[in-house]
Amino acid sequence: MALTGTKRFQNYIGGEWVDAIGGDTFESVSPANGDTIGIFPKSGPGDVDRAVEAARAAFEEWRLVPAPKRGEVLFRFGQLLIEHKDDLVDLMTREMGKVKAEAGGDVQEAIDMSYYMAGEGRRLFGQTTPSELRDKFNMSVRMPIGVVGAITPWNFPIAIPSWKMLPALVCGNTVVFKPATDTPLLGERFVELLDEAGLPKGVVNIVHGGGGAVGDRLVRHPDVRVITLTGSRETGVEVMRNAADALKHVHLELGGKNAIIVLDDADLELAADGILWSAFGTSGQRCTAASRVIVQEGAYEALQSRLVAAAEKMRLGYGWEDDTDVGPVINKAALEKIHSYTEIGKGEGARLLTGGEVATGNGLSDGYYYRPTIFGDVAPGMRIAQEEIFGPTTALIRVRDFDEAIRVSNGIKYGLSSSIFTRDVNKAFRAMRDLQAGITYINAGTIGAEVHLPFGGTKDTGNGHREAGQAALDVFTEWKSIYVDYSGRLQRAQIDTEESPAP
Ligand code: NAD
């Protein structure tokens, strides 16, 4: 049991709650008002080694548990998430800062993923195929891989762990989980509920601590076969490099610089709603956030005034209050980074239309709040139109026509989400074909994924894998091809071929 009474928490290794070997700790602090959420073990490589050993030992038994039984644990987990949804939502508004409705969406996504992946326990389909030879049977089956190291960011503190751990578990792998140091308590609650759902000891372990000490040891540990990481591009590159010597499976979901295109024929009211939701929801801290808006010149002025007026009406505040539109950003460093991009944008000659400052007053000074910020007259090559800011800042870019809009949308290194507002079905289909991104929305903003579809991006957003949907199973299994020869004699493939019968 975690020591909740004293707000001091532990690692969970091999079914035991334990302190870090070195005894060091760190605090989780609310970005909303500076409250201390809890004290957590600041673990090191030795703690990771213990957890990996527990996961390696547990794998030998867990891989043999029938997949439908593994799925039943996930069904129970989904049920527990429903029962604890209100508490988790309240905790998320405090530890991570997002507003209540969005925190509810975060937890709901994990509930959906639990049921979806629980169902996979009765599917996990392979293939059967005919053989070239007589009296021979061929099939392919999915095999679990072993110990999975799951390293997550703070922006979806319940949903993202579920995208990684639930498919890993139903496929028969065991997990060592390192949550972000900004949201350790939500990671802890996730593991407590998995334990309560009935996972055997050692199947899931949590080790708290930083990317350098805990994450890096997971990445380099010889017994961790799969690393699944969601984080920034820079972290992804480092992880891939450090995992290369051991030829690990590395699954990366990285940054974005997503654009919404608005054509002259669009429903501007709908487009404005979609842009505000995508740019300022979660204070712009979504990998799919719309940090660029590419507008055809006929719609530009009208859309710009709508957006500015609406952004200025948004209420900043605590996520747990019902009338809050925009919560805090995650920490001081994020606030400073976001503001530095305001300065960069101004320096580049973009026009600051609204926002561009830290919000204070009404109790906000104890947290990290930034006003929804819109730049106009942004050139596609400016840094504010190219680099991931990860805050409530968006850049309006004026274009002449559809072709230029597609070119500008594609003219970045990332390829996560994309969107177009138009009533022209031909242009919508061309956009679906030509936008270089893992996700394309028609007449909706760039955010909001459903768990039964693949999630991830092209170009520098990742390394070709996908989270969620059936695609997630490819990350956490390896294919085995099985040939059963029941002829009773040696049949050599490609050599002992039979003549085709005459037609
Ligand atoms: P981050 O890269 O700083 O950290 C992500 C995780 O990696 C953390 O747990 C961190 O401790 C760990 N880490 C850092 N260095 C490491 C190392 N050398 N080895 C192993 N682990 C290491 O990212 P963040 O600030 O937590 O999250 C924001 C980023 O995540 C943004 O770039 C955002 O776009 C991205 N993101 C992407 C998706 C997606 O699905 N594509 C979803 C959410 C967030």
Side-chain angles (χ1 to χ4, degrees), residues 152-155 178 211 215 230-232 235 253-255 287 388 390 455:
T152 57
W154 43 266
N155 67 334
K178 190 208 94 60
T230 297
S232 64
T235 302
E253 296 294 341
L254 309 175
C287 50
E388 189 180 44
F390 225 56
F455 180 92

Side-chain angles (χ1 to χ4, degrees), residues 81-382:
L81 285 174
I82 292 172
E83 286 166 25
H84 291 271
K85 186 172 177 181
D86 289 348
D87 294 346
L88 290 168
V89 166
D90 184 63
L91 174 60
M92 201 180 298
T93 62
R94 291 167 200 279
E95 189 174 45
M96 184 275 161
K98 64 175 75 172
V99 301
K100 232 196 268 182
E102 293 180 33
D106 194 313
V107 177
Q108 187 59 44
E109 204 155 326
I111 294 166
D112 297 345
M113 188 59 97
S114 304
Y115 289 140
Y116 179 63
M117 284 299 160
E120 274 314 312
R122 290 194 181 268
R123 288 186 292 266
L124 287 179
F125 295 136
Q127 292 182 326
T128 61
T129 75
S131 167
E132 306 169 356
L133 296 166
R134 283 175 193 255
D135 300 329
K136 193 175 167 197
F137 183 84
N138 296 347
M139 59 187 157
S140 60
V141 294
R142 289 186 181 276
M143 303 296 287
I145 304 177
V147 179
V148 171
I151 304 176
T152 57
W154 43 266
N155 67 334
F156 280 86
I158 294 290
I160 290 182
S162 83
W163 294 359
K164 300 185 178 309
M165 291 160 68
L166 304 183
L169 291 171
V170 80
C171 290
N173 305 284
T174 55
V175 177
V176 178
F177 170 35
K178 190 208 94 60
T181 45
D182 284 304
T183 50
L185 187 49
L186 287 156
E188 170 103 6
R189 293 291 297 132
F190 189 90
V191 168
E192 282 177 356
L193 294 177
L194 269 175
D195 179 49
E196 200 179 328
L199 278 183
K201 287 181 195 320
V203 171
V204 163
N205 308 272
I206 184 169
V207 182
H208 293 284
V214 176
D216 187 61
R217 179 60 185 156
L218 268 177
V219 169
R220 294 175 196 265
H221 196 297
D223 290 337
V224 176
R225 294 308 310 152
V226 181
I227 288 291
T228 171
L229 167 98
T230 297
S232 64
R233 180 190 179 280
E234 292 66 32
T235 302
V237 170
E238 201 180 332
V239 163
M240 201 162 182
R241 199 174 280 136
N242 294 340
D245 282 342
L247 290 174
K248 290 193 185 185
H249 297 217
V250 179
H251 162 232
L252 302 174
E253 296 294 341
L254 309 175
K257 189 70 191 172
N258 317 287
I260 292 178
I261 296 174
V262 183
L263 297 184
D264 284 350
D265 69 353
D267 175 340
L268 286 195
E269 198 179 328
L270 178 64
D273 286 348
I275 293 162
L276 292 163
W277 172 232
S278 302
F280 304 130
T282 323
S283 307
Q285 303 169 110
R286 291 195 186 212
C287 50
T288 50
S291 52
R292 298 180 300 153
V293 182
I294 301 168
V295 195
Q296 198 173 359
E297 52 198 4
Y300 187 93
E301 296 301 333
L303 185 68
Q304 174 177 294
S305 8
R306 255 176 213 273
L307 291 175
V308 170
E312 287 176 352
K313 283 205 196 92
M314 289 184 132
R315 185 182 170 277
L316 276 82
Y318 302 136
W320 57 87
E321 290 177 354
D322 285 329
D323 56 349
T324 298
D325 298 310
V326 181
V329 300
I330 191 67
N331 53 35
K332 188 158 184 273
L335 195 70
E336 286 169 0
K337 177 180 171 196
I338 293 161
H339 189 64
S340 77
Y341 273 99
T342 296
E343 297 302 328
I344 290 168
K346 288 198 278 191
E348 288 176 310
R351 202 147 59 88
L352 181 61
L353 300 171
T354 186
E357 59 182 10
V358 174
T360 50
N362 295 332
L364 300 187
S365 310
D366 293 335
Y368 307 113
Y369 296 85
Y370 205 76
R371 295 217 176 278
T373 299
I374 304 178
F375 275 102
D377 296 330
V378 176
M382 287 180 182

